[in-house]
Amino acid sequence: MATKDSRILLLEEEKVLRRAVDLLGLSDEVYEALRLPERVMQVKIPVRRDDGSIAVFVGWRSQHNSALGPYKGGIRFHPAVTMEEVIALSMMMTWKNALAGLPYGGGKGGVRVDPHTLSPRELEQLSRGYIRAMYKYIGPDHDIPAPDVYTNPQIMAWMMDEYYRVSGVHHFGVITGKPKILGGLETRIIATGFGVAVAARETAKKIWGSIEGRTVAVQGYGNAGYYAAKFLHEMGAVIVAVSDSRGGIYSSKGLNPDEVKQVKNKTGSVIYYEKAEKRITNEELLELDVDILVPAAIEDVITKENAPRIKAKLIVEAANGPTTAEADQILAEKGTVVVPDILANAGGVIMSHVEWMNNRIGGLITEEQAKEILETKMSRNTLTLWDYWHRELEPGKHPMRDAAYMLAVSRVVEAMKLRGQL
Ligand code: NAD
């Protein structure tokens, strides 16, 4: 979400890159070559309002690095979007895609707008206007957008159609996250949460031999949190606590994720689930005596203040940035494994890749196959990172995140060297 000051976000991304570059023993020259985006576009998008007046919006697309393939990353519509934020997020996508083993570089787009203030017609005009303005710089082999904060499959459909109107060619693969009838995949809905569950299962096997019977607390019960809980439950873990913005619930015997979801859908919150033993706060949830903690709500909830009190041995980040850098270090030193967001919540972009491939081969991939591909990729990526972390670093000194960025950066650097860019 566009909640953090965008200059801080950009500085944080640069800091993480600097750390990876230093750990890999690469030069300042390489750091500069990796830091700067390849291209940043700013466009003006005029929209005729329903009352006849003209509103002018500003949009950006940052294309950070394309050494591994076409740029890939979402487009957000949010009133706080800035150019710095879009650049920082495009850089994050470069590492995320590289770590996920996808043939993509990193990109991100955004429009500074509160979409809730627009009528459906105005929203459509804005979506189409963005594509008309960016048309020359995107394409299925060049830059492939997807949904992000406050954008959705309908917006992707308008954008794809506008690309068709301008180019005259049916390029379904120009955008992912589309409705199923236009080449999208329903598996996308579960992709992030399922991917988180698979990452948790594979890491749990390394720590305990199996995920079966392990206790789990999930903070946040939206798309990522609910599906993570649902699939962890199916894998044999015991979901003892979940929460949303109104608070949390706890049950030592375990909660049924689908029943809790039904209650949330009906009443607006998980706290009204009557079979729970007790209600808890979001702060208490983080410090519960559980095996696995899944932060799936907002950023910066695990800090240097509460990190020493966290009892979970394994934290799997479904949310973006839930653990601060200081907390990450404290947790590494006390032996807590934190599977970082750039690995754990990559299910969405992995599913985007499956959708893009499917569009290019005429729609042969079934939903079952899509889920299988996601599972294989998530488990392989988790194990690869686990091995790399233990081979290249000392886990008691370095968080798994260090290994994740090192592995991602080293892949991009290798591609740039082979291309003759470095
Ligand atoms: P969502 O809006 O569907 O759900 C968010 C949930 O968090 C809701 O249940 C909300 O009540 C709860 N919440 C909000 N503030 C909270 C607070 N202060 N304490 C506890 N709970 C709180 O969002 P989502 O799509 O599930 O995304 C959640 C996180 O996962 C975000 O950080 C997002 O960036 C990240 N993420 C999501 C996806 C995805 O595909 N959904 C992909 C990558 C990353």
Side-chain angles (χ1 to χ4, degrees):
M1 283 288 206
T3 46
K4 200 176 254 190
D5 183 303
S6 53
R7 280 157 309 172
I8 295 176
L9 190 70
L10 187 53
L11 285 174
E12 280 179 359
E13 273 306 301
E14 290 175 352
K15 225 161 116 182
V16 178
L17 172 62
R18 180 85 249 182
R19 193 170 157 103
V21 163
D22 290 347
L23 284 167
L24 287 164
L26 299 167
S27 66
D28 286 353
E29 254 170 50
V30 173
Y31 169 73
E32 277 306 306
L34 293 170
R35 184 178 70 84
L36 291 171
E38 288 170 8
R39 186 187 287 119
V40 183
M41 283 86 66
Q42 175 174 309
V43 294
K44 171 178 104 170
I45 312 164
V47 170
R48 188 167 297 280
R49 307 289 305 241
D50 292 346
D51 65 5
S53 64
I54 298 266
V56 179
F57 299 96
V58 186
W60 295 272
R61 183 88 186 157
S62 169
Q63 299 178 330
H64 176 255
N65 188 295
S66 61
L68 288 170
Y71 310 100
K72 180 103 193 73
I75 300 174
R76 56 179 55 186
F77 284 180
H78 193 279
V81 171
T82 66
M83 187 170 73
E84 286 79 10
E85 178 183 71
V86 170
I87 293 173
L89 295 171
S90 71
M91 198 188 311
M92 203 186 293
M93 285 310 296
T94 297
W95 316 134
K96 191 174 200 170
N97 293 336
L99 190 64
L102 302 175
Y104 290 142
K108 200 77 173 192
V111 177
R112 189 182 298 158
V113 60
D114 181 354
H116 305 108
T117 62
L118 301 184
S119 71
R121 193 199 62 83
E122 291 165 347
L123 189 60
E124 178 177 349
Q125 292 313 308
L126 179 68
S127 308
R128 290 185 183 278
Y130 182 86
I131 293 300
R132 274 198 306 282
M134 294 291 181
Y135 158 73
K136 280 192 195 146
Y137 305 99
I138 62 169
D141 289 309
H142 188 48
D143 185 353
I144 308 138
D148 199 89
V149 177
Y150 297 155
T151 51
N152 56 35
Q154 173 62 77
I155 291 174
M156 298 305 111
W158 287 326
M159 288 184 164
M160 186 197 73
D161 184 68
E162 191 61 27
Y163 191 81
Y164 160 68
R165 288 190 192 190
V166 181
S167 68
V169 185
H170 282 287
H171 281 304
F172 285 89
V174 67
I175 214 152
T176 58
K178 302 178 293 292
K180 187 170 173 71
I181 193 84
L182 293 175
L185 287 164
E186 277 163 3
T187 311
R188 188 184 180 86
I189 298 167
I190 65 159
T192 301
F194 180 59
V196 167
V198 173
R201 183 188 67 196
E202 295 308 312
T203 320
K205 276 189 207 160
K206 289 285 182 189
I207 300 173
W208 299 290
S210 160
I211 193 151
E212 209 132 322
R214 293 290 146 194
T215 52
V216 183
V218 180
Q219 184 187 54
Y221 216 59
N223 174 269
Y226 161 61
Y227 283 111
K230 176 183 171 65
F231 288 108
L232 282 165
H233 175 75
E234 280 180 18
M235 289 168 186
V238 185
I239 313 299
V240 294
V242 300
S243 70
D244 57 32
S245 55
R246 311 267 295 272
I249 49 174
Y250 175 87
S251 184
S252 58
K253 298 187 297 293
L255 302 157
N256 179 315
D258 285 329
E259 277 180 25
V260 175
K261 183 67 179 166
Q262 279 163 19
V263 170
K264 180 167 168 70
N265 287 348
K266 224 170 25 202
T267 63
S269 175
V270 299
I271 59 173
Y272 301 111
Y273 183 64
E274 282 170 2
K275 289 190 208 160
E277 274 165 33
K278 60 177 177 180
R279 284 190 190 173
I280 54 172
T281 65
N282 266 295
E283 291 70 36
E284 286 165 348
L285 180 139
L286 295 172
E287 296 174 23
L288 281 175
D289 190 6
V290 291
D291 296 316
I292 304 168
L293 178 62
V294 180
I298 53 165
E299 61 204 17
D300 294 344
V301 291
I302 302 173
T303 62
K304 63 178 191 295
E305 278 75 39
N306 64 6
R309 296 192 299 272
I310 284 182
K311 296 173 197 72
K313 166 83 182 158
L314 170 60
I315 299 174
V316 187
E317 295 183 337
N320 280 324
T323 313
T324 67
E326 293 123 323
D328 214 16
Q329 192 58 39
I330 294 169
L331 291 165
E333 284 167 17
K334 70 178 205 172
T336 308
V337 176
V338 182
V339 182
D341 49 5
I342 58 161
L343 180 100
N345 71 21
V349 72
I350 291 174
M351 196 43 58
S352 270
H353 177 238
V354 180
E355 178 179 339
W356 177 79
M357 283 195 296
N358 200 29
N359 296 153
R360 301 174 76 105
I361 59 169
L364 290 170
I365 299 173
T366 63
E367 297 289 347
E368 292 71 30
Q369 287 168 330
K371 191 173 171 219
E372 239 176 79
I373 295 171
L374 173 60
E375 180 163 16
T376 307
K377 284 215 161 142
M378 280 304 305
S379 70
R380 197 172 52 205
N381 292 346
T382 306
L383 295 177
T384 302
L385 179 59
W386 178 274
D387 289 345
Y388 182 90
W389 183 34
H390 284 79
R391 194 174 63 241
E392 301 293 328
L393 296 169
E394 215 179 301
K397 278 195 186 145
H398 287 277
M400 199 176 189
R401 196 179 322 271
D402 280 349
Y405 277 88
M406 282 170 70
L407 184 55
V409 168
S410 65
R411 284 177 177 168
V412 173
V413 167
E414 189 186 349
M416 289 174 80
K417 279 191 178 154
L418 287 167
R419 283 172 176 267
Q421 295 176 356
L422 281 177

